[in-house]
Amino acid sequence: MNKQPLYLDAASTTPVAPEAIAAMLCYLGSSGCYYNPSSTNHLPGQEAAASVDTFRTAIATAIGCEPEEVVFTSGATEANNLALRGIAHTHASQGKHIITSLIEHKSVLETCRSLEREGFTLTYLRPDSGGTINPDAVKNALRPDTLLVSLLHTNNETGVIQPVGEIASLLADAGVLFHVDAAQAVGKLPLNLSETPIDLLSLSAHKFHGPKGVGCLVIRNRRHLRLEPLLTGGGQEFGLRSGTLATHQIAGMSVALQLATKHQAQDHSHVSTLNRLFIEQLEQNFAIKIHGDRERSSPYIVNFSIYGISSDALINQLATEVALSSGSACASGTVDPSYVLRAMGIEGDALYGAVRASFSRYHTMADISLAVERIVAAVRRMQELD
Ligand code: PMP
């Protein structure tokens, strides 16, 4: 994977696994099963529908839920919108209070802002300085009219893993719905819905070597939990998401997730080694500050600042050599520093110097050493210019 520039931004997106590409190709061309899975009045349509069923079942098995609880969407952004708006609009009579946090992905935060404009009341929890939402803070924020709590599993900027198991149990006891945005966790970290009482879970295929433009919202006990759809039309996906199903995308997502599940322990250990190597090699050259509690972090993401170096200048200096992210990809392109790090109380040089590196199963130790070599050379050039 020794391309120019070296891509260390796997939290933004990953390459599609060859196995997933092979599966997708079977659903595209005239010799393949390109049929519409809703056209079940003929054999070709039935064949496509049977394939979708198989892929749905494999996804459900990987995350520990029932196949009919998996609702395909265009990705985690849509799944988050469907969860929040769908629950809020259907169950407003039971309460108009929603709890979330200041460190959510924009697809949750902006949706919450929009619900506020519609008359819902939001509580935005602040993480501790290590980037964790304390379960007690969730408990203390509960009110008699709390309808839903929405928190992410693994933060996309810091990699900090939230105590979702503990929060899920306390919310189950309190009888409050729990939505988890697991875009950065599914396929990478152990997560089994049969063991954790999460009501709604969002995921996105392109974060685990599946294609872009597909994901799903898992709705536990879907037969009993009603949600207003975002899209109406032909009534696909149990009436929750109209539109012709993208069979090739679903094939790619399902195969990628099966692969990620099978190799999860191995990938986790490989990426942990890469993460350690990256940090050790940087520390041999500079004083760095790592943001987010390392004890609670996913090895797939590291967020750090190099003393005295601004992230924008470093990223520009490395433009043709190493692709890193300052903050989340959705926020880059603007000069705003990370709202996630700000919420953790990080300010000044550490905030403006924060850079995210993120890894995948396809990175090698040689990639990491070369990336660090290039980062070190870039920093030395910048220091000489000062
Ligand atoms: N939530 C989190 C935590 C993410 O990291 C992302 C991707 N940046 C999303 C949601 C949005 O996912 P998608 O690209 O599938 O819309």
Side-chain angles (χ1 to χ4, degrees):
M1 210 176 124
N2 214 346
K3 281 192 288 184
Q4 290 267 0
L6 238 154
Y7 183 80
L8 285 194
D9 199 14
S12 175
T13 197
T14 57
V16 181
E19 294 87 339
I21 296 176
M24 292 174 76
L25 289 176
C26 301
Y27 293 86
L28 291 168
S30 58
S31 60
C33 183
Y34 65 88
Y35 317 111
N36 187 333
S38 296
S39 303
T40 47
N41 57 325
H42 52 58
L43 280 173
Q46 288 164 21
E47 192 192 330
S51 294
V52 169
D53 282 350
T54 306
F55 293 131
R56 194 191 300 275
T57 301
I59 291 170
T61 305
I63 49 189
C65 68
E66 298 302 321
E68 71 267 16
E69 294 174 335
V70 174
V71 174
F72 292 119
T73 64
S74 61
T77 297
E78 186 188 334
N80 287 342
N81 270 264
L82 177 58
L84 289 158
R85 292 183 202 276
I87 291 292
H89 292 161
T90 315
H91 300 278
S93 61
Q94 286 166 35
K96 293 191 116 187
H97 178 231
I98 298 171
I99 299 172
T100 186
S101 87
L102 291 169
I103 57 168
E104 299 305 305
H105 187 262
K106 290 272 181 178
S107 54
V108 165
L109 282 178
E110 291 304 316
T111 306
C112 286
R113 299 277 180 222
S114 156
L115 290 171
E116 269 183 300
R117 289 191 290 275
E118 290 178 26
F120 288 84
T121 309
L122 267 291
T123 298
Y124 297 93
L125 299 174
R126 184 174 289 281
D128 64 19
S129 60
T132 306
I133 303 294
N134 189 326
D136 284 340
V138 177
K139 199 173 185 175
N140 294 337
L142 290 174
R143 306 188 332 195
D145 64 338
T146 305
L147 179 61
L148 175 71
V149 174
S150 177
L151 295 172
L152 47 59
H153 182 292
T154 300
N155 188 273
N156 47 301
E157 293 197 35
T158 61
V160 173
I161 301 167
Q162 302 301 324
V164 286
E166 220 178 307
I167 296 170
S169 302
L170 84 85
L171 292 177
D173 290 346
V176 172
L177 292 170
F178 189 25
H179 166 243
V180 173
D181 172 359
Q184 296 290 349
V186 168
K188 298 175 186 163
L189 303 169
L191 180 61
N192 192 325
L193 292 180
S194 68
E195 291 161 7
T196 312
I198 291 169
D199 300 289
L200 302 128
L201 186 99
S202 302
L203 61 98
S204 177
H206 72 106
K207 307 292 185 182
F208 53 81
H209 304 290
K212 292 166 194 54
V214 65
C216 59
L217 178 67
V218 177
I219 308 172
R220 299 311 306 276
N221 299 312
R222 189 185 51 72
R223 285 175 202 283
H224 302 289
L225 184 61
R226 281 186 315 108
L227 259 84
E228 183 186 288
L230 299 174
L231 303 179
T232 46
Q236 287 90 343
E237 293 302 271
F238 323 103
L240 284 166
R241 207 277 189 170
S242 286
T244 301
L245 283 175
T247 45
H248 62 300
Q249 306 282 76
I250 291 167
M253 168 158 70
S254 184
V255 169
L257 185 56
Q258 290 173 66
L259 201 66
T261 307
K262 189 169 157 206
H263 298 301
Q264 195 181 93
Q266 192 185 325
D267 287 350
H268 191 276
S269 144
H270 172 62
V271 167
S272 300
T273 305
L274 300 181
N275 182 314
R276 255 194 320 274
L277 187 72
F278 183 75
I279 293 169
E280 272 167 24
Q281 293 191 353
L282 277 182
E283 281 177 336
Q284 280 162 16
N285 290 279
F286 315 112
I288 67 168
K289 166 108 185 70
I290 296 175
H291 306 302
D293 183 351
R294 292 314 292 156
E295 300 295 307
R296 299 198 51 91
S297 286
S298 159
Y300 285 83
I301 297 177
V302 59
N303 195 314
F304 63 99
S305 306
I306 300 174
Y307 181 76
I309 298 293
S310 105
S311 58
D312 284 347
L314 178 62
I315 285 165
N316 284 339
Q317 186 68 227
L318 284 166
T320 59
E321 298 176 288
V322 186
L324 295 166
S325 161
S326 63
S328 68
C330 313
S332 56
T334 71
V335 288
D336 288 345
S338 159
Y339 62 87
V340 171
L341 299 184
R342 269 221 155 122
M344 291 159 60
I346 298 165
E347 288 293 340
D349 285 353
L351 176 68
Y352 285 91
V355 170
R356 179 187 72 181
S358 44
F359 316 105
S360 86
R361 83 160 71 100
Y362 297 120
H363 286 117
T364 63
M365 308 250 278
D367 289 332
I368 301 305
S369 295
L370 182 60
V372 174
E373 214 173 278
R374 290 177 179 180
I375 294 170
V376 171
V379 171
R380 300 272 183 253
R381 286 197 300 276
M382 291 164 73
Q383 286 169 336
E384 274 161 27
L385 290 176
D386 275 353

